[in-house]
Amino acid sequence: MPAIAAAPLETQGSPAPALEYDPAPQNFAEVIALFDKRREALTRSHLWSHVHLVTFEPGRIELRPEETAPRDLANRLGQLLTEWTGMRWVVAVSQAEGAPTPAEQAAQHESAVRNEVVAHPLVRAVLDTFPGATIAAVRERAGAMEGAGAAPEANDDAAAEASDAADEASAGEDDL
């Protein structure tokens, strides 16, 4: 009499494990963050540096890729977002100008903040007192990025750092 093999317990009546989806991104920055989280560095880099967003709504993105972006970027973007979120994403390529790339926006913001810091009277005084001195870096406080009203705090930080640098420099001169 032939033996009948029993089916493994996992296949007997137990449901397949539910897939866990990421929440649908609500803006283009969240799309880029999702690609970062999913370790899709190359695609994330193209989205950051080579894509001008025309319109965005959850489930639909219209963008204008630069010539340096891969030809299949829109298809890959839609495919991966659909796979990761469990909802259908339509990604359309447009000829419209669109917004600056996120990289361009970040550079514009950094330039604007640096210009504000240079214009601060205390920083200006330090730079005038110490010819050849430069501003190496401008760092914003976490709270300063949340609201426009907090921007002067970032300037005060830069001014304080410049003042500290001036104090250290003058303290060194006293030792000579």
Side-chain angles (χ1 to χ4, degrees):
M1 177 185 233
I4 301 176
L9 290 176
E10 292 80 39
T11 60
Q12 291 182 348
S14 63
L19 293 176
E20 297 222 8
Y21 293 113
D22 287 302
Q26 300 301 305
N27 57 50
F28 195 60
E30 288 181 14
V31 169
I32 293 172
L34 180 58
F35 274 81
D36 196 32
K37 173 185 167 194
R38 290 295 192 129
R39 297 178 184 238
E40 285 285 338
L42 187 59
T43 304
R44 183 235 178 257
S45 177
H46 286 298
L47 294 173
W48 176 259
S49 302
H50 307 291
V51 170
H52 299 268
L53 181 65
V54 176
T55 60
F56 181 94
E57 59 186 63
R60 187 179 190 301
I61 301 174
E62 188 176 345
L63 51 85
R64 181 181 59 87
E66 294 178 346
E67 291 180 15
T68 52
R71 292 199 178 277
D72 68 339
L73 182 63
N75 290 337
R76 182 156 175 74
L77 178 61
Q79 175 188 10
L80 290 174
L81 285 173
T82 298
E83 181 182 315
W84 295 339
T85 63
M87 68 181 270
R88 186 167 186 271
W89 283 79
V90 175
V91 180
V93 175
S94 174
Q95 297 302 315
E97 184 68 22
T101 67
E104 291 169 344
Q105 292 175 17
Q108 290 170 352
H109 175 73
E110 183 178 323
S111 177
V113 168
R114 181 173 285 276
N115 290 339
E116 284 182 41
V117 169
V118 169
H120 191 281
L122 185 56
V123 174
R124 188 80 258 150
V126 170
L127 291 174
D128 291 342
T129 303
F130 298 98
T134 61
I135 298 173
V138 177
R139 294 181 296 270
E140 293 185 63
R141 287 184 177 169
M145 295 182 73
E146 292 176 11
E153 291 179 16
N155 291 347
D156 291 343
D157 282 348
E161 288 179 20
S163 177
D164 290 344
D167 291 345
E168 289 174 16
S170 65
E173 293 173 359
D174 292 341
D175 294 336
L176 297 176

